Amino acid sequence: MPHLPHSHDEAAERLFDHMPAPEEFAASAELFRLMSDNTRIRLFWLLCHCEACLLDLSAMMDMSSPALSHHLKLLRACGLIVSRREGKEVRYRAADNRKAEALHHIIEEIAEIACPE
């Protein structure tokens, strides 16, 4: 740990010992960058609540299939959603992992705070 020029208490020094590595913050920043698009937030939220094919998602999101495919590709690449083939159709849903669950919870909490009943 570097020497702190104004070490007023030991709390900052103890905190520094537990601070995640810069790469971990970079991964968080990348996730926040990816989710800075309201379309991807809506799409991810939707897939947290249902499993759907591209055509149904296109209708629900009022978007073209190619545009929606781009967003699905990004969400799948970062591990937030998964897909499975059912015959000729590919169905999408939120991934069953800690990152997806945490992000879904954050989105729900922020939506409640921003849009109280």
Side-chain angles (χ1 to χ4, degrees):
M1 184 183 94
H3 173 71
L4 299 178
H6 291 185
S7 184
H8 299 289
D9 61 32
E10 294 178 15
E13 292 178 18
R14 284 193 311 270
L15 179 63
F16 188 81
D17 290 338
H18 299 288
M19 187 163 67
E23 302 80 40
E24 293 179 52
F25 286 109
S28 295
E30 180 59 24
L31 178 62
F32 286 125
R33 185 198 61 75
L34 175 73
M35 296 309 289
S36 68
D37 183 293
N38 69 337
T39 298
R40 283 192 284 276
I41 292 173
R42 288 177 53 226
L43 179 57
F44 175 70
W45 180 89
L46 186 61
L47 293 173
C48 287
H49 295 275
C50 72
E51 181 181 71
C53 68
L54 181 64
L55 291 177
D56 286 347
L57 288 169
S58 293
M60 288 187 261
M61 296 287 294
D62 192 28
M63 292 180 69
S64 70
S65 293
L68 193 60
S69 290
H70 170 73
H71 293 292
L72 289 166
K73 178 182 173 184
L74 294 172
L75 292 171
R76 191 169 52 196
C78 78
L80 289 174
I81 67 169
V82 294
S83 62
R84 68 178 179 87
R85 184 166 292 281
E86 190 173 280
K88 292 183 178 185
E89 210 171 59
V90 177
R91 300 180 62 81
Y92 299 89
R93 65 174 173 79
D96 186 19
N97 62 39
R98 194 168 158 213
K99 179 170 47 172
E101 290 171 9
L103 185 58
H104 179 229
H105 179 74
I106 290 168
I107 291 168
E108 296 258 318
E109 288 293 317
I110 290 173
E112 187 176 303
I113 292 167
C115 305
E117 291 182 14

